[in-house]
Amino acid sequence: MVDHEVDTPAGTAVVDADAVDRRGAVTVSSDGVLARVRAGAGELTGALRRVAEHVLSDPEAAARATIVELAERSGTSPATITRFCRAMGFEGYADLRLGIAAETGRARSAGWTVDIGREIQPSDPLSRVLDQIMAADTRAMHDTAALLDLTEVERAAVAIAGASRVNIFGASGSALVGEEMQFSLHRIGVAAWAWSDVHEGLASAALLGVGDVALGISHTGQTRETIEMLAEAGSRGATTVALTGFPRSPLAELADIVLVTASQATTFRPDALSARHPQLVVLDLLYIAVAQRTHDRAHAAFRRTAQAVDGHKAEKGATS
């Protein structure tokens, strides 16, 4: 058996596990186990990081392995495996194995494992590419549903429903997702603005106050511009919401409310791109929750906005 407890800077793996414990281990069901490992892997270092990477590389083999076998394959020790389990919210290795086995079993029976992790080759037919994309997106959606804290969605919906102004911040692909949310909220009468330029976003954030809401979108939670804009909004008293794939990222750490999404990368679709659909699903849920809490106002606004653009629809049977 190989024990690499001292192959990293003094106590790195042990301190890392203890740090996770101090922040509070999450309660993990058999749904979303691998999504939590994937989301948490970026925060681990040394031996714990190697365990996470090994589990993600072959979950089915990890579910079949004993604690000694997993330690040997990941180049760590049984003690490290135990600390890893605690960091992931499990009491022990048996619980981790059962969770992974249940999740991989469901994925296999549902066909989600088809082609996931396989590189798309230039010669692959589009039917195979479609299968891979569908499998990856389906898995990401289910992982997101398992990770998402509906209490946090409820808090965000209540805040937005009562807000005088909602600012949405994001860069690059996250900006596109933010614009979708801004459009949806406007349709039901919520005063919302989407900002991608950091100068404009900071100026707008500086005008927010108590009772307003700021939503920052970043899959990694490390986009500096988004962090700065959300921090400025928070400093002015606005309720801050983060939509991210990493619950302990800098963006999440400064937010009052955190909404977590999962992703399943494929060839040509790294995490930041593959996270787009799960992000849209969560924001769609949040939008519907806001509409529910402002039903009369939302219904009237939606009807008026629909009537306003109705004249620009082509008549049936009309030719160009």
Side-chain angles (χ1 to χ4, degrees):
M1 179 178 66
V2 181
D3 188 345
H4 289 268
E5 291 305 303
V6 295
D7 66 349
T8 56
T12 297
V14 176
V15 172
D16 191 68
D18 291 342
V20 175
D21 288 343
R22 285 197 300 271
R23 287 189 296 239
V26 292
T27 300
V28 184
S29 69
S30 59
D31 289 327
V33 174
L34 297 178
R36 290 187 183 274
V37 173
R38 192 175 298 112
E43 301 168 11
L44 303 177
T45 57
L48 290 180
R49 178 67 175 267
R50 290 202 301 278
V51 176
E53 291 174 347
H54 185 79
V55 168
L56 293 173
S57 68
D58 194 346
E60 293 190 16
R64 294 191 300 267
T66 66
I67 189 171
V68 173
E69 290 171 339
L70 184 59
E72 290 178 342
R73 293 171 187 174
S74 59
T76 61
S77 71
T80 299
I81 304 299
T82 300
R83 283 193 294 274
F84 173 79
C85 293
R86 289 205 313 270
M88 293 297 108
F90 291 94
E91 291 185 3
Y93 183 57
D95 293 332
L96 175 66
R97 286 182 65 187
L98 288 174
I100 296 174
E103 185 171 345
T104 54
R106 280 191 302 273
R108 186 169 54 253
S109 63
W112 303 339
T113 58
V114 175
D115 282 334
I116 291 181
R118 176 189 178 277
E119 288 292 313
I120 296 176
Q121 303 300 324
S123 59
D124 283 347
L126 287 181
S127 59
R128 183 184 292 275
V129 175
L130 176 61
D131 285 345
Q132 180 168 348
I133 292 173
M134 291 297 294
D137 280 358
T138 299
R139 184 55 184 269
M141 297 292 188
H142 281 267
D143 284 349
T144 295
L147 287 172
L148 191 61
D149 186 341
L150 295 181
T151 301
E152 293 287 88
V153 177
E154 175 82 22
R155 290 179 59 206
V158 170
I160 292 174
S164 301
R165 180 186 179 98
V166 177
N167 270 6
I168 304 170
F169 305 121
S172 189
S174 295
L176 300 177
V177 174
E179 289 173 3
E180 287 280 345
M181 184 60 170
Q182 185 265 341
F183 173 75
S184 297
L185 291 176
H186 253 309
R187 288 296 302 270
I188 59 172
V190 176
W193 287 262
W195 305 99
S196 58
D197 179 88
V198 66
H199 289 187
E200 295 177 352
L202 285 172
S204 183
L207 298 177
L208 297 180
V210 176
D212 295 325
V213 174
L215 168 63
I217 304 172
S218 170
H219 172 65
T220 63
Q222 297 179 4
T223 303
R224 182 176 300 174
E225 293 84 352
T226 304
I227 293 171
E228 290 178 357
M229 291 185 284
L230 197 69
E232 177 65 28
S235 72
R236 302 295 176 175
T239 298
T240 52
V241 183
L243 179 67
T244 179
F246 296 87
R248 295 190 180 93
S249 62
L251 184 71
E253 291 287 355
L254 65 85
D256 299 312
I257 301 169
V258 180
L259 309 179
V260 182
T261 61
S263 64
Q264 189 74 52
T266 60
T267 310
F268 305 120
R269 296 173 73 221
D271 282 342
L273 292 178
S274 60
R276 188 178 303 166
H277 291 156
Q279 286 175 339
L280 288 171
V281 167
V282 172
L283 291 179
D284 203 28
L285 174 64
L286 179 58
Y287 155 70
I288 294 296
V290 172
Q292 287 179 313
R293 285 151 186 78
T294 59
H295 181 270
D296 293 341
R297 184 184 75 186
H299 184 73
F302 197 85
R303 185 175 63 251
R304 291 199 301 272
T305 55
Q307 290 173 346
V309 300
D310 191 59
H312 288 268
K313 294 180 180 178
E315 296 181 4
K316 290 183 179 180
T319 56
S320 57

